[in-house]
Amino acid sequence: MSDIEAYRKSIDDIDKRIIELFEERMEVVTKIAIYKKENNLPIYNGSREAEVIEKNAALVENEAMKPFAREFILSMMDISKEYQSMELSKRDLNKASINEEKPFYEEENLRLGYQGVKGAYSEEAMLEFFGGKHRTSSYDKFEDVFKALAKDEIDFGVLPIENSSTGAVKEVYDLLRKYGFYIVAEKCLKIEHHLLGVNGAREEDLREIYSHTQGIEQCSVYLNDLKGIRAIPYLNTAISAEHVSKSGSKEKGAIASKRAADIFNLAVIKEGISNEKDNYTRFIIVGKEIINRKENDKISIVFTVENKAGALFNALRWFSVNKLNMTKIESRPIAKEPWKYFFYIDFEGNIKDVVVKDLLEVCEKNSSYFKLLGVYRREVDTCN
């Protein structure tokens, strides 16, 4: 046997042991996830994750290998979370029953979270859906809302998922899959963007305009006609308004709502600057559990298929075969796997319908990854 053949045999032997340990580890992490869910403990524990990474990296004697060891452990943890999420989704799907109790949004003293500050469109969607009687918390980033839900700081989070003119809020799709939470409702909100500035500011005074990337995209036609002005992406439309207000500068403007203008004492320099007159954003309400009610008629799922001819067609044809109306499909690339995608699908139905249960079983069996993302009532308006 040549040296290269001996090395390859050693690698094969090592890989065999790694796979055996991998399967053993996945079984244990799944048991931990089930235990946490049954005992109402947060699934995600960032401090524990960081501790495990550093503890194991410290075992590596070769200093040059330590960064690679950290990346290996982190990748293994990410895979574990994906698997945990998928397995918990199956359990939740199997035990989901029709809930005939008072709707969750009518409960008292709910803790609600949204991204942005007062005056954000997410806050407006939250108030329209839940009313103003609950305790609310605002967060800087979309992921902060998911982390708050994971830590049991809030009962539900409100996040934008897609806009009628600029499409999906892709980060939120990825976070739904990452954290394993569920869409329990949706709310469609008409978005009316305005150019705001400090009192006395005029359009010709401006040199910088701040807004969320979606706000900038949704007002691109108006912005492209302005000369000598930079559009600067910011965390949120309302946070942009807050920033301009605090700056006190006539050279800074923000794209946000009239409500944000009132809250931060700004003037409306130009009304209605959206590209589309009928500009709507669909917001989702995210919770830890499936809430299935008789009136629920919309389902969201995510899955992957093999990268070969006909694989996606074979998965999608079952919607036609079962006469189920697919209302949306969105693809997102799989990190570190070029030309492979997660497919996010919304379709009409209730998970207790026999035809829907059959479809979900077929999708699960024919997918390398499958997860139920939500069961909720379709809002009968422009969001359809």
Side-chain angles (χ1 to χ4, degrees):
M1 181 185 295
S2 66
D3 287 347
I4 188 70
E5 288 173 338
Y7 296 149
R8 285 172 176 166
K9 185 179 184 308
S10 294
I11 288 176
D12 288 343
D13 292 340
I14 293 167
D15 287 347
K16 183 174 181 294
R17 297 202 303 274
I18 289 173
I19 291 299
E20 289 171 353
L21 291 171
F22 171 77
E23 287 186 307
E24 186 178 335
R25 189 182 195 281
M26 295 297 263
E27 288 177 6
V28 174
V29 297
T30 301
K31 289 176 182 176
I32 290 172
I34 293 170
Y35 177 86
K36 285 182 175 181
K37 195 168 185 71
E38 290 177 346
N39 290 274
N40 199 30
L41 297 171
I43 300 295
Y44 175 75
N45 187 333
S47 58
R48 163 69 179 165
E49 187 174 281
E51 179 186 324
V52 170
I53 290 171
E54 291 307 314
K55 180 180 70 175
N56 284 285
L59 298 175
V60 179
E61 294 182 2
N62 186 329
E63 287 296 324
M65 286 186 185
K66 284 191 176 182
F68 298 97
R70 289 189 182 94
E71 186 174 349
F72 171 75
I73 297 161
L74 181 60
S75 296
M76 183 171 60
M77 287 181 160
D78 287 342
I79 292 168
S80 296
K81 284 184 282 191
E82 292 272 6
Y83 185 72
Q84 285 177 326
S85 175
M86 185 173 70
E87 290 300 300
L88 291 175
S89 172
K90 290 179 188 176
R91 287 169 56 86
D92 289 346
L93 177 58
N94 290 333
K95 70 180 184 180
S97 58
I98 299 294
N99 186 336
E100 296 298 352
E101 298 175 2
K102 182 168 67 173
F104 72 93
Y105 46 83
E106 292 183 4
E107 293 179 9
E108 297 180 357
N109 302 317
L110 291 173
R111 300 166 302 160
L112 309 174
Y114 64 95
Q115 187 264 344
V117 294
K118 284 187 180 299
Y121 291 112
S122 291
E123 188 213 20
E124 189 174 338
M126 178 190 69
L127 292 172
E128 286 202 15
F129 186 84
F130 287 100
K133 59 185 178 181
H134 304 290
R135 182 151 60 93
T136 64
S137 300
S138 61
Y139 299 91
D140 287 342
K141 300 176 183 177
F142 291 142
E143 186 161 15
D144 292 338
V145 178
F146 283 86
K147 286 180 178 178
L149 191 55
K151 293 175 183 176
D152 200 34
E153 293 176 4
I154 58 176
D155 300 308
F156 299 100
V158 181
L159 300 128
I161 191 72
E162 65 175 321
N163 177 265
S164 58
S165 61
T166 54
V169 183
K170 295 175 181 178
E171 183 185 352
V172 175
Y173 274 102
D174 292 340
L175 290 168
L176 269 173
R177 180 180 48 77
K178 176 180 177 180
Y179 282 86
F181 299 144
Y182 298 101
I183 303 170
V184 298
E186 67 178 9
K187 177 64 188 174
C188 193
L189 188 70
K190 186 170 185 179
I191 305 298
E192 296 182 338
H193 290 307
H194 310 284
L195 178 61
L196 313 181
V198 299
N199 290 313
R202 300 167 301 168
E203 188 179 84
E204 54 265 34
D205 297 325
L206 300 176
R207 293 295 174 266
E208 298 174 346
I209 295 177
Y210 295 81
S211 193
H212 188 270
T213 52
Q214 287 270 329
I216 292 172
E217 287 179 37
Q218 290 163 29
C219 301
S220 60
V221 174
Y222 171 77
L223 291 172
N224 288 339
D225 287 338
L226 299 178
K227 305 301 180 186
I229 296 177
R230 283 198 307 144
I232 301 175
Y234 218 56
L235 289 170
N236 176 273
T237 55
I239 293 176
S240 300
E242 181 183 45
H243 172 69
V244 170
S245 178
K246 287 180 177 178
S247 76
S249 173
K250 290 185 178 181
E251 294 187 347
K252 293 184 177 182
I255 295 172
S257 66
K258 282 187 178 179
R259 186 164 177 269
D262 292 339
I263 291 171
F264 298 109
N265 192 31
L266 294 175
V268 177
I269 298 174
K270 182 79 172 178
E271 291 191 4
I273 62 171
S274 301
N275 297 346
E276 305 291 338
K277 183 179 178 182
D278 293 325
N279 183 26
Y280 291 85
T281 294
R282 184 165 72 97
F283 292 83
I284 54 173
I285 289 79
V286 179
K288 285 186 175 180
E289 307 285 345
I290 293 173
I291 302 176
N292 193 31
R293 299 183 61 80
K294 189 176 291 184
E295 64 265 27
N296 287 352
D297 57 2
K298 190 171 182 180
I299 297 169
S300 295
I301 61 174
V302 58
F303 64 87
T304 60
V305 294
E306 293 183 43
N307 188 14
K308 64 181 185 180
L312 180 60
F313 171 79
N314 287 332
L316 297 182
R317 73 185 181 90
W318 289 103
F319 289 90
S320 176
V321 169
N322 289 287
K323 293 182 172 54
L324 290 168
N325 183 34
M326 198 165 43
T327 59
K328 176 162 181 79
I329 179 168
E330 181 78 27
S331 65
R332 294 287 295 132
I334 300 176
K336 299 179 181 179
E337 295 189 48
W339 317 123
K340 291 187 179 180
Y341 300 87
F342 290 107
F343 294 97
Y344 295 84
I345 289 179
D346 295 342
F347 66 98
E348 295 175 1
N350 187 290
I351 56 172
K352 285 303 174 183
D353 297 341
V354 174
V355 67
V356 172
K357 291 182 72 174
D358 288 345
L359 171 75
L360 294 176
E361 286 179 11
V362 167
C363 285
E364 183 183 329
K365 287 177 182 176
N366 291 278
S367 305
S368 48
Y369 173 89
F370 173 86
K371 186 181 185 308
L372 178 70
L373 288 179
V375 178
Y376 48 105
R377 184 169 64 87
R378 178 172 54 95
E379 193 172 39
V380 186
D381 57 15
T382 316
C383 277
N384 296 337

PDB file of all heavy atoms in Angstrom, residues 258-273:
ATOM      1  N   LYS A 258     -45.769  59.919   8.955  1.00  0.00           N
ATOM      2  CA  LYS A 258     -46.200  61.167   9.593  1.00  0.00           C
ATOM      3  C   LYS A 258     -46.242  60.997  11.113  1.00  0.00           C
ATOM      4  O   LYS A 258     -46.002  61.952  11.862  1.00  0.00           O
ATOM      5  CB  LYS A 258     -47.579  61.581   9.067  1.00  0.00           C
ATOM      6  CG  LYS A 258     -47.526  62.224   7.692  1.00  0.00           C
ATOM      7  CD  LYS A 258     -48.887  62.766   7.291  1.00  0.00           C
ATOM      8  CE  LYS A 258     -48.811  63.457   5.918  1.00  0.00           C
ATOM      9  NZ  LYS A 258     -50.132  63.969   5.495  1.00  0.00           N
ATOM     10  N   ARG A 259     -46.546  59.779  11.548  1.00  0.00           N
ATOM     11  CA  ARG A 259     -46.570  59.515  12.993  1.00  0.00           C
ATOM     12  C   ARG A 259     -45.179  59.713  13.587  1.00  0.00           C
ATOM     13  O   ARG A 259     -45.027  60.267  14.676  1.00  0.00           O
ATOM     14  CB  ARG A 259     -47.078  58.094  13.249  1.00  0.00           C
ATOM     15  CG  ARG A 259     -47.269  57.771  14.724  1.00  0.00           C
ATOM     16  CD  ARG A 259     -48.132  56.525  14.902  1.00  0.00           C
ATOM     17  NE  ARG A 259     -48.244  56.190  16.313  1.00  0.00           N
ATOM     18  CZ  ARG A 259     -47.407  55.366  16.942  1.00  0.00           C
ATOM     19  NH1 ARG A 259     -46.440  54.773  16.269  1.00  0.00           N
ATOM     20  NH2 ARG A 259     -47.554  55.105  18.229  1.00  0.00           N
ATOM     21  N   ALA A 260     -44.158  59.248  12.855  1.00  0.00           N
ATOM     22  CA  ALA A 260     -42.780  59.448  13.306  1.00  0.00           C
ATOM     23  C   ALA A 260     -42.442  60.938  13.347  1.00  0.00           C
ATOM     24  O   ALA A 260     -41.742  61.406  14.243  1.00  0.00           O
ATOM     25  CB  ALA A 260     -41.812  58.708  12.390  1.00  0.00           C
ATOM     26  N   ALA A 261     -42.958  61.691  12.363  1.00  0.00           N
ATOM     27  CA  ALA A 261     -42.728  63.141  12.345  1.00  0.00           C
ATOM     28  C   ALA A 261     -43.310  63.786  13.598  1.00  0.00           C
ATOM     29  O   ALA A 261     -42.673  64.639  14.236  1.00  0.00           O
ATOM     30  CB  ALA A 261     -43.349  63.754  11.095  1.00  0.00           C
ATOM     31  N   ASP A 262     -44.520  63.384  13.981  1.00  0.00           N
ATOM     32  CA  ASP A 262     -45.164  63.934  15.173  1.00  0.00           C
ATOM     33  C   ASP A 262     -44.387  63.581  16.438  1.00  0.00           C
ATOM     34  O   ASP A 262     -44.184  64.424  17.317  1.00  0.00           O
ATOM     35  CB  ASP A 262     -46.601  63.415  15.284  1.00  0.00           C
ATOM     36  CG  ASP A 262     -47.505  63.951  14.181  1.00  0.00           C
ATOM     37  OD1 ASP A 262     -47.153  65.002  13.601  1.00  0.00           O
ATOM     38  OD2 ASP A 262     -48.536  63.317  13.895  1.00  0.00           O
ATOM     39  N   ILE A 263     -43.960  62.307  16.530  1.00  0.00           N
ATOM     40  CA  ILE A 263     -43.262  61.840  17.735  1.00  0.00           C
ATOM     41  C   ILE A 263     -41.931  62.551  17.930  1.00  0.00           C
ATOM     42  O   ILE A 263     -41.568  62.920  19.052  1.00  0.00           O
ATOM     43  CB  ILE A 263     -43.056  60.304  17.662  1.00  0.00           C
ATOM     44  CG1 ILE A 263     -44.409  59.590  17.803  1.00  0.00           C
ATOM     45  CG2 ILE A 263     -42.081  59.813  18.732  1.00  0.00           C
ATOM     46  CD1 ILE A 263     -44.354  58.099  17.539  1.00  0.00           C
ATOM     47  N   PHE A 264     -41.197  62.789  16.812  1.00  0.00           N
ATOM     48  CA  PHE A 264     -39.849  63.370  16.921  1.00  0.00           C
ATOM     49  C   PHE A 264     -39.799  64.847  16.520  1.00  0.00           C
ATOM     50  O   PHE A 264     -38.725  65.389  16.284  1.00  0.00           O
ATOM     51  CB  PHE A 264     -38.869  62.538  16.087  1.00  0.00           C
ATOM     52  CG  PHE A 264     -38.753  61.118  16.569  1.00  0.00           C
ATOM     53  CD1 PHE A 264     -39.279  60.067  15.824  1.00  0.00           C
ATOM     54  CD2 PHE A 264     -38.162  60.841  17.790  1.00  0.00           C
ATOM     55  CE1 PHE A 264     -39.194  58.764  16.283  1.00  0.00           C
ATOM     56  CE2 PHE A 264     -38.072  59.534  18.262  1.00  0.00           C
ATOM     57  CZ  PHE A 264     -38.593  58.494  17.503  1.00  0.00           C
ATOM     58  N   ASN A 265     -40.996  65.464  16.474  1.00  0.00           N
ATOM     59  CA  ASN A 265     -41.097  66.909  16.229  1.00  0.00           C
ATOM     60  C   ASN A 265     -40.376  67.323  14.946  1.00  0.00           C
ATOM     61  O   ASN A 265     -39.575  68.264  14.930  1.00  0.00           O
ATOM     62  CB  ASN A 265     -40.546  67.686  17.430  1.00  0.00           C
ATOM     63  CG  ASN A 265     -40.894  69.165  17.370  1.00  0.00           C
ATOM     64  OD1 ASN A 265     -41.947  69.543  16.840  1.00  0.00           O
ATOM     65  ND2 ASN A 265     -40.010  70.010  17.898  1.00  0.00           N
ATOM     66  N   LEU A 266     -40.670  66.618  13.871  1.00  0.00           N
ATOM     67  CA  LEU A 266     -40.098  66.935  12.571  1.00  0.00           C
ATOM     68  C   LEU A 266     -41.174  67.484  11.640  1.00  0.00           C
ATOM     69  O   LEU A 266     -42.364  67.242  11.842  1.00  0.00           O
ATOM     70  CB  LEU A 266     -39.471  65.685  11.943  1.00  0.00           C
ATOM     71  CG  LEU A 266     -38.245  65.100  12.655  1.00  0.00           C
ATOM     72  CD1 LEU A 266     -37.821  63.798  11.979  1.00  0.00           C
ATOM     73  CD2 LEU A 266     -37.083  66.086  12.679  1.00  0.00           C
ATOM     74  N   ALA A 267     -40.735  68.196  10.634  1.00  0.00           N
ATOM     75  CA  ALA A 267     -41.652  68.726   9.628  1.00  0.00           C
ATOM     76  C   ALA A 267     -41.688  67.787   8.426  1.00  0.00           C
ATOM     77  O   ALA A 267     -40.702  67.107   8.130  1.00  0.00           O
ATOM     78  CB  ALA A 267     -41.195  70.107   9.191  1.00  0.00           C
ATOM     79  N   VAL A 268     -42.834  67.756   7.741  1.00  0.00           N
ATOM     80  CA  VAL A 268     -42.951  66.987   6.503  1.00  0.00           C
ATOM     81  C   VAL A 268     -42.526  67.896   5.353  1.00  0.00           C
ATOM     82  O   VAL A 268     -43.210  68.858   5.021  1.00  0.00           O
ATOM     83  CB  VAL A 268     -44.390  66.475   6.284  1.00  0.00           C
ATOM     84  CG1 VAL A 268     -44.491  65.747   4.944  1.00  0.00           C
ATOM     85  CG2 VAL A 268     -44.810  65.562   7.429  1.00  0.00           C
ATOM     86  N   ILE A 269     -41.373  67.577   4.762  1.00  0.00           N
ATOM     87  CA  ILE A 269     -40.851  68.391   3.660  1.00  0.00           C
ATOM     88  C   ILE A 269     -41.552  68.037   2.354  1.00  0.00           C
ATOM     89  O   ILE A 269     -41.880  68.908   1.550  1.00  0.00           O
ATOM     90  CB  ILE A 269     -39.327  68.183   3.518  1.00  0.00           C
ATOM     91  CG1 ILE A 269     -38.616  68.646   4.793  1.00  0.00           C
ATOM     92  CG2 ILE A 269     -38.779  68.934   2.305  1.00  0.00           C
ATOM     93  CD1 ILE A 269     -37.122  68.339   4.809  1.00  0.00           C
ATOM     94  N   LYS A 270     -41.781  66.739   2.147  1.00  0.00           N
ATOM     95  CA  LYS A 270     -42.440  66.265   0.918  1.00  0.00           C
ATOM     96  C   LYS A 270     -43.321  65.079   1.260  1.00  0.00           C
ATOM     97  O   LYS A 270     -42.859  64.094   1.823  1.00  0.00           O
ATOM     98  CB  LYS A 270     -41.384  65.863  -0.120  1.00  0.00           C
ATOM     99  CG  LYS A 270     -41.923  65.392  -1.446  1.00  0.00           C
ATOM    100  CD  LYS A 270     -42.343  66.559  -2.332  1.00  0.00           C
ATOM    101  CE  LYS A 270     -42.710  66.079  -3.744  1.00  0.00           C
ATOM    102  NZ  LYS A 270     -43.172  67.195  -4.590  1.00  0.00           N
ATOM    103  N   GLU A 271     -44.596  65.161   0.925  1.00  0.00           N
ATOM    104  CA  GLU A 271     -45.540  64.081   1.210  1.00  0.00           C
ATOM    105  C   GLU A 271     -45.543  63.039   0.097  1.00  0.00           C
ATOM    106  O   GLU A 271     -45.301  63.353  -1.070  1.00  0.00           O
ATOM    107  CB  GLU A 271     -46.961  64.628   1.378  1.00  0.00           C
ATOM    108  CG  GLU A 271     -47.166  65.454   2.619  1.00  0.00           C
ATOM    109  CD  GLU A 271     -48.646  65.743   2.861  1.00  0.00           C
ATOM    110  OE1 GLU A 271     -49.489  65.220   2.098  1.00  0.00           O
ATOM    111  OE2 GLU A 271     -48.952  66.480   3.809  1.00  0.00           O
ATOM    112  N   GLY A 272     -45.854  61.775   0.487  1.00  0.00           N
ATOM    113  CA  GLY A 272     -46.127  60.710  -0.472  1.00  0.00           C
ATOM    114  C   GLY A 272     -45.044  60.486  -1.497  1.00  0.00           C
ATOM    115  O   GLY A 272     -45.286  60.669  -2.695  1.00  0.00           O
ATOM    116  N   ILE A 273     -43.852  60.070  -1.085  1.00  0.00           N
ATOM    117  CA  ILE A 273     -42.729  59.918  -2.025  1.00  0.00           C
ATOM    118  C   ILE A 273     -42.490  58.456  -2.421  1.00  0.00           C
ATOM    119  O   ILE A 273     -41.490  58.155  -3.070  1.00  0.00           O
ATOM    120  CB  ILE A 273     -41.432  60.525  -1.444  1.00  0.00           C
ATOM    121  CG1 ILE A 273     -41.024  59.809  -0.150  1.00  0.00           C
ATOM    122  CG2 ILE A 273     -41.596  62.027  -1.218  1.00  0.00           C
ATOM    123  CD1 ILE A 273     -39.643  60.223   0.353  1.00  0.00           C
TER     124      ILE A 273
END
